[in-house]
Amino acid sequence: MNDSGTRSTDPLLVAESLHKTYRLGDVEVPVLKGASLEVAAGEWVAILGSSGSGKSTLLHLLGGLDRPDPGAGRIVFDGGDISLQNRRERNIYRNRSIGFVFQFYHLLPELTVSENALLPTMVASSIPGARERARELLERFGLGHRLEHRPRELSGGERQRVAIARALANGPQVLLADEPTGNLDEGTGRGILDLLAQEHAEGLGIVMVTHDPSIAELADRVVELHHGQVMQTDPVSR
Amino acid sequence: MAGRSSVSSNAATFPMYQSLLTNRYLTSRIIPLLAIAAVALCVALVIVVVSVMSGFLEQFRAAGRTLIGDVIVSGSMHGIPYYDDLIERIERDPLADAATPVVETWGVLRMPYDETAAVQIWGIEPESFDRVTDFAETLYWDDIPGEAERFLIAAAIDRIGTELAGTLTLEQKVDLLEDRVPDNVDRSRESLARQVPTIPEADWITLLQLLGQYDAERLQTILDDAQWTMVLEADDWLVDDANIIRDGLAMNRLGRPAIIAGMHVSKGNVRTTGGTYEVQGNGRWWLPRFEGTLTTIRVDREGGINDPENIILPFANEFLSNVRMVDKQRVLIPLETAQEQTGLFEAPLVDGGIDPARATQLLIRAAEGVTPEELLERVVPIYEQFHTDRRDDIVDPETFPPPAFVSIVTWEEMQADFIGPVEKERMLMWILFSIVYIVCAALVLAIMWSIVQEKTRDIGILRSIGATRRGIVGIYLLYGLVIGIIGGIFGFFLGWLITYYIDDIHDMLGEPPMWLGIILLAGAGATIGWALVRMRSGELLPTVLGTFISIPLILLGAVVVWAAATGQGFVMWDADTYYFPDVPNSVDLPVAIITMCGGIVFSVLGAFIPAAKAADMDPIKALRYE
Ligand SMILES: Nc1ncnc2c1ncn2[C@@H]1O[C@H](COP(=O)(O)OP(=O)(O)OP(=O)(O)O)[C@@H](O)[C@H]1O
Ligand SMILES: [Mg+2]
């Protein structure tokens, strides 16, 4: 995988001066205006920002779901420029290198818990050992007895755990989490964060969007999205 | 890596998540069931329409050949002279199998029950006519139906009455009287024997006839064997049923030239749903036991019209070609009789010489594997040669039609009046075909469109975890394919069933059974009941559904009950319009399979547009979609 030895010298995921402008008819809405961010391998970065500041937009760009304005910034993962990749390469990037977790879980209602968790593996057609890995993850997340249930039979916290298991199914290096606890009560949210911390401890890189500073505290580093730019914040002492 | 198990084995053909999702989308909602039902109905409809139409054309082709052969030579109003020579020349050609002369004219046939019908009269030579048209196979009667036999016995006694009466012993006469005298008269045998001499000869014949007609068995016990044999031999149809067909083929009845009428010429024949015929009055109106009067108008050789001529001929049999128009108006008589009626017979001329007999048409059958067109190519020069060779033999060469005045056509050209409408209906069928498929595709499209709409977020999710656009297209195409396959298979069997039972269904529509109406009304009642119960819970859907289902049921039920009660029916296959008495009911297997595949293809085609829409969806917008 990443042949760099240390995380500080060679960042895994880099966003360089990203610009993103939405067009509403004739009106241009600039959301990102030169946002830059570096995430080292295994690093947990929290992005703070008020509602509408463009946090989700930045995350979608990082995850290759969307592209920055033409010629305005680039995203580099493991030394390769995502914005230059073709569709196929970006699909593989989304499938293998990163995992998305959303505020509203976004599970497929017709599939069972284990099928949801296996979905990225099925999309990739074949990844050796993935089935066992998904099962292992679900069991680790306390869902071993829920494998054949449908998402609607689960609580919010359980659903989000299934979503995280799905995001991790193909063993990505970075997890992109968009307010993963935003829809949960505090206790449940805490459980999800513990789970993320545990994965982080095992070497998973995390980019987490939140507007709750107390949650951001858990991260290695907190940045703030403000006026379309990423502001560095002092590392919070633990 | 070698130690870890691999899941690559089940990723060979369709990516697993597509079949998984297709399966779940299919089984978790009702809409796809509607789509399947719609596809099945479309496929079934096309199979039924196509099968009926192909069956119709098939029947038509078969009938065309059996009725008039492959190539027809028609002379001018003078007819074709020396036709025997022409036939010989044609039959010498290896491409021709057989040829037969026909004299065609029109007339009026008066039937025994004083009914008259305008008929097309064909004078034929049964033997060669059979070689060209398989006429023998169309003869309908090979036994005596119902109680027709007792009328035949009465008629036979009438024929030999005097002779038979002369052989009666006193004993037998007393037996005959015993059956007839009323109760209030002295019925002792002595008293009856005293009366015998007072009864005139003719009355014994009547007594014999009456007993023969009303109690043939009793008559047989009264008569001795020799006498009974005498009765039977007066009409050998009574001796052996095989003689009926024999007489039909010879066009002869009791030594006289006879008529063979189309099955629907006589109103006495009633078609059963099984396609066989019953004779009204349980055999009483069986045409072959009667005589008919044919009235023809002869057009003479100068084109003048002579007085109508009547000729009384017995019937020998009836034929069933299964072409309704022909069965309804054609009667066959022996060629010579027709020639006499039309003036086309051989006649010595006043100023010496002989005018030869003529035929108005020659029907020719092609040899095995030879098309009518190929045969036609040969017949034209044969006629030209024939005309050149024989022109000078005739006294009045004007009456020998030159090749230009003779029409030589294939049966299909001859039947252009028939074929025109059939071809048009076939066109109609093809248009129907395409419309039905478009409907099929549109239904799948609409249904898939709504599913894509509903599943927008799923598409965003799948894209976020790396599903390709092609992968998304695959889900919906697979979805369309599965709907098409299931619908197609159901439609195939539904179409098969409907086609197979189409005559029963048609008959049922013709005479709707009361139970059907009652079931429909009961269904409506049950629906209303269900809706009322569910309405209490405040739901709106049951009310709407109940209304939508019960109203058509009530209307349909009421119509059926009304039709059943008043004896009205809905006849869609009018035999007079379609030439054939039955709706063809054999499923055209290749066509059915093609139709089924067509349904599948169009279901997939219908799925293409929603699938493309799904693939084009912006994943971000899809994710934000609620
Ligand atoms: N497709 C779009 N077209 C136009 N404007 C958009 C579009 N998507 C997002 N925006 C706008 O861009 C801005 C940033 O949106 P984004 O969802 O990234 O904010 P956010 O920081 O995630 O907010 P929240 O905390 O509410 O989730 C908002 O003002 C939003 O209205
Ligand atoms: Mg957001």
Side-chain angles (χ1 to χ4, degrees):
Chain A
M1 288 186 191
N2 192 355
D3 45 7
S4 75
T6 51
R7 54 173 78 159
S8 49
T9 52
D10 200 356
L12 177 67
L13 181 59
V14 180
E16 276 177 25
S17 173
L18 295 178
H19 290 257
K20 181 70 189 177
T21 310
Y22 288 112
R23 224 160 248 104
L24 295 168
D26 290 342
V27 188
E28 294 199 341
V29 186
V31 175
L32 298 181
K33 294 176 263 185
S36 299
L37 179 69
E38 291 191 358
V39 182
E43 188 184 16
W44 183 349
V45 178
I47 303 176
L48 270 175
S50 56
S51 186
S53 58
K55 304 183 296 292
S56 297
T57 304
L58 176 59
L59 214 57
H60 292 154
L61 290 179
L62 289 176
L65 267 180
D66 206 354
R67 290 169 189 258
D69 294 343
R74 57 191 206 120
I75 295 145
V76 179
F77 180 85
D78 205 6
D81 190 339
I82 304 298
S83 18
L84 294 179
Q85 285 181 341
N86 63 23
R87 286 208 174 101
R88 202 179 76 85
E89 290 164 336
R90 272 148 47 107
N91 284 329
I92 293 174
Y93 168 66
R94 287 202 293 265
N95 186 248
R96 304 281 177 105
S97 307
I98 58 144
F100 269 108
V101 175
F102 304 96
Q103 179 177 356
F104 296 103
Y105 332 122
H106 285 350
L107 300 175
L108 298 194
E110 277 88 4
L111 302 188
T112 64
V113 164
S114 67
E115 286 163 348
N116 263 294
L118 263 173
L119 206 51
T121 312
M122 291 193 274
V123 167
S125 287
S126 132
I127 290 184
R131 191 173 286 275
E132 292 74 11
R133 183 181 157 76
R135 163 73 59 102
E136 225 172 84
L137 277 168
L138 288 171
E139 261 160 27
R140 179 136 42 101
F141 294 172
L143 292 162
H145 59 298
R146 294 290 209 175
L147 296 180
E148 297 312 315
H149 288 235
R150 294 289 157 92
R152 62 166 180 277
E153 296 161 322
L154 304 183
S155 72
E158 285 172 321
R159 288 185 207 187
Q160 194 61 298
R161 281 180 227 200
V162 177
I164 295 170
R166 178 180 68 192
L168 300 181
N170 284 352
Q173 283 146 282
V174 183
L175 189 76
L176 304 176
D178 194 345
E179 304 200 33
T181 59
N183 207 33
L184 301 172
D185 63 61
E186 210 185 314
T188 316
R190 192 53 61 182
I192 296 293
L193 291 167
D194 287 348
L195 196 145
L196 287 180
Q198 189 186 326
E199 294 299 317
H200 172 58
E202 289 182 14
L204 179 71
I206 301 175
V207 179
M208 182 179 73
V209 161
T210 177
H211 53 245
D212 184 343
S214 68
I215 291 173
E217 274 174 23
L218 293 167
D220 298 336
R221 186 157 62 92
V222 181
V223 297
E224 201 168 326
L225 197 54
H226 198 58
H227 295 307
Q229 298 205 316
V230 178
M231 311 292 192
Q232 297 295 330
T233 318
D234 293 331
V236 186
S237 58
R238 298 186 165 218
Chain B
M1 198 131 296
R4 306 289 292 190
S5 71
S6 163
V7 288
S8 59
S9 57
N10 49 15
T13 45
F14 252 107
M16 210 167 104
Y17 75 101
Q18 292 172 332
S19 19
L20 180 65
L21 279 172
T22 301
N23 181 13
R24 290 296 154 78
Y25 287 174
L26 263 175
T27 49
S28 63
R29 55 204 68 221
I30 296 175
I31 298 181
L33 294 183
L34 290 180
I36 288 171
V39 171
L41 283 178
C42 287
V43 168
L45 173 63
V46 173
I47 288 180
V48 172
V49 170
V50 174
S51 292
V52 169
M53 290 304 295
S54 336
F56 180 44
L57 277 170
E58 189 62 32
Q59 275 186 352
F60 191 83
R61 280 180 185 281
R65 192 169 195 218
T66 47
L67 285 170
I68 53 176
D70 294 307
V71 169
I72 299 95
V73 181
S74 318
S76 62
M77 58 168 278
H78 298 298
I80 302 164
Y82 308 120
Y83 54 84
D84 285 336
D85 181 18
L86 180 55
I87 287 173
E88 216 171 278
R89 288 163 187 252
I90 291 169
E91 285 184 343
R92 235 179 279 139
D93 192 294
L95 264 53
D97 187 29
T100 188
V102 168
V103 168
E104 184 188 283
T105 185
W106 291 83
V108 172
L109 175 67
R110 211 173 82 227
M111 273 161 291
Y113 35 94
D114 268 348
E115 172 109 25
T116 54
V119 289
Q120 178 196 43
I121 302 163
W122 267 24
I124 60 161
E125 247 173 38
E127 210 178 299
S128 62
F129 188 69
D130 176 46
R131 270 184 274 134
V132 174
T133 66
D134 294 330
F135 152 70
E137 283 163 30
T138 66
L139 287 179
Y140 188 80
W141 301 111
D142 54 9
D143 61 6
I144 301 164
E147 292 176 23
E149 186 158 13
R150 56 194 185 93
F151 295 103
L152 287 180
I153 291 173
I157 292 169
D158 186 41
R159 224 165 281 131
I160 53 158
T162 324
E163 201 185 333
L164 182 63
T167 65
L168 289 174
T169 62
L170 180 64
E171 192 78 350
Q172 286 173 325
K173 287 182 174 173
V174 171
D175 285 342
L176 284 172
L177 276 182
E178 201 173 20
D179 276 353
R180 300 304 306 170
V181 287
D183 284 343
N184 53 353
V185 176
D186 179 4
R187 297 181 63 181
S188 70
R189 293 190 67 85
E190 297 79 41
S191 136
L192 290 174
R194 256 176 273 123
Q195 305 208 14
V196 167
T198 67
I199 295 170
E201 172 97 336
D203 285 5
W204 291 116
I205 301 176
T206 311
L207 278 175
L208 283 165
Q209 264 184 289
L210 284 172
L211 194 59
Q213 184 167 333
Y214 293 104
D215 193 350
E217 271 172 41
R218 171 89 184 109
L219 180 65
Q220 197 179 346
T221 57
I222 293 174
L223 297 182
D224 63 32
D225 284 353
Q227 286 168 321
W228 184 243
T229 308
M230 199 165 130
V231 171
L232 295 186
E233 279 175 355
D235 183 349
D236 59 7
W237 285 7
L238 295 168
V239 179
D240 185 354
D241 282 342
N243 293 330
I244 300 174
I245 289 286
R246 180 205 63 196
D247 284 353
L249 288 176
M251 304 190 80
N252 180 296
R253 174 77 172 123
L254 299 164
R256 296 163 62 196
I259 306 176
I260 295 176
M263 204 62 194
H264 288 264
V265 171
S266 161
K267 298 251 186 325
N269 297 324
V270 182
R271 194 177 170 86
T272 65
T273 49
T276 57
Y277 286 81
E278 273 165 11
V279 177
Q280 294 217 1
N282 195 16
R284 171 177 269 272
W285 295 114
W286 191 47
L287 205 60
R289 77 179 182 89
F290 295 105
E291 293 174 339
T293 309
L294 262 184
T295 307
T296 51
I297 294 175
R298 187 200 293 185
V299 180
D300 66 27
R301 286 176 189 176
E302 280 71 48
I305 292 177
N306 295 353
D307 287 337
E309 285 197 32
N310 287 336
I311 179 173
I312 296 174
L313 296 172
F315 292 96
N317 209 317
E318 289 171 285
F319 72 86
L320 179 66
S321 69
N322 270 326
V323 176
R324 176 76 165 209
M325 250 164 79
V326 168
D327 291 335
K328 221 180 142 173
Q329 62 179 29
R330 185 174 296 168
V331 300
L332 306 172
I333 60 176
L335 186 70
E336 297 78 41
T337 314
Q339 283 169 332
E340 271 160 42
Q341 289 301 105
T342 51
L344 294 177
F345 49 86
E346 184 178 278
L349 295 175
V350 205
D351 38 1
I354 288 179
D355 193 34
R358 293 152 194 269
T360 58
Q361 279 148 331
L362 247 57
L363 313 183
I364 310 162
R365 180 180 193 141
E368 196 70 34
V370 176
T371 67
E373 288 73 20
E374 287 166 346
L375 178 60
L376 181 76
E377 303 254 302
R378 305 294 281 259
V379 174
V380 172
I382 291 175
Y383 187 84
E384 280 164 4
Q385 188 62 44
F386 163 70
H387 180 254
T388 319
D389 293 351
R390 302 298 304 264
R391 186 176 35 198
D392 299 328
D393 296 348
I394 208 157
V395 176
D396 180 2
E398 293 243 312
T399 63
F400 197 139
F405 285 12
V406 171
S407 103
I408 303 176
V409 292
T410 64
W411 73 267
E412 281 178 83
E413 293 166 329
M414 183 83 174
Q415 306 278 64
D417 285 356
F418 278 14
I419 286 181
V422 179
E423 295 284 327
K424 267 188 210 137
E425 294 196 31
R426 198 152 72 145
M427 272 303 279
L428 197 75
M429 168 186 86
W430 281 107
I431 294 169
L432 242 168
F433 220 139
S434 34
I435 289 178
V436 163
Y437 274 150
I438 290 166
V439 168
C440 198
L443 280 165
V444 171
L445 191 152
I447 286 162
M448 305 278 284
W449 186 273
S450 78
I451 291 172
V452 166
Q453 200 72 29
E454 191 195 330
K455 290 282 138 200
T456 298
R457 226 187 37 171
D458 286 19
I459 295 164
I461 296 166
L462 285 164
R463 296 301 306 281
S464 81
I465 59 169
T468 60
R469 281 149 50 98
R470 208 182 292 170
I472 304 287
V473 168
I475 295 174
Y476 290 96
L477 287 191
L478 185 62
Y479 202 170
L481 182 70
V482 171
I483 287 179
I485 288 176
I486 300 177
I489 290 173
F490 270 107
F492 181 86
F493 287 107
L494 184 66
W496 189 294
L497 277 180
I498 292 178
T499 310
Y500 191 78
Y501 289 108
I502 190 140
D503 279 303
D504 298 283
I505 295 171
H506 182 249
D507 289 342
M508 202 182 266
L509 288 172
E511 286 168 36
M514 188 58 96
W515 57 259
L516 184 66
I518 289 169
I519 286 180
L520 287 170
L521 288 181
T527 312
I528 292 172
W530 170 80
L532 282 176
V533 170
R534 292 292 297 269
M535 252 165 71
R536 294 247 192 89
S537 63
E539 288 175 67
L540 192 60
L541 188 65
T543 324
V544 177
L545 265 182
T547 317
F548 270 96
I549 297 173
S550 59
I551 288 181
L553 281 181
I554 290 175
L555 288 178
L556 220 75
V559 168
V560 169
V561 167
W562 168 79
T566 59
Q568 305 268 4
F570 318 91
V571 176
M572 288 180 295
W573 183 271
D574 183 351
D576 281 347
T577 329
Y578 289 93
Y579 318 121
F580 301 104
D582 271 337
V583 187
N585 74 338
S586 62
V587 175
D588 191 332
L589 192 61
V591 166
I593 289 171
I594 291 170
T595 306
M596 183 176 70
C597 296
I600 296 170
V601 167
F602 275 82
S603 299
V604 175
L605 285 182
F608 254 107
I609 293 172
K613 172 186 145 98
D616 281 346
M617 212 171 264
D618 177 4
I620 310 267
K621 282 190 190 143
L623 277 173
R624 290 188 200 260
Y625 183 89
E626 283 305 322

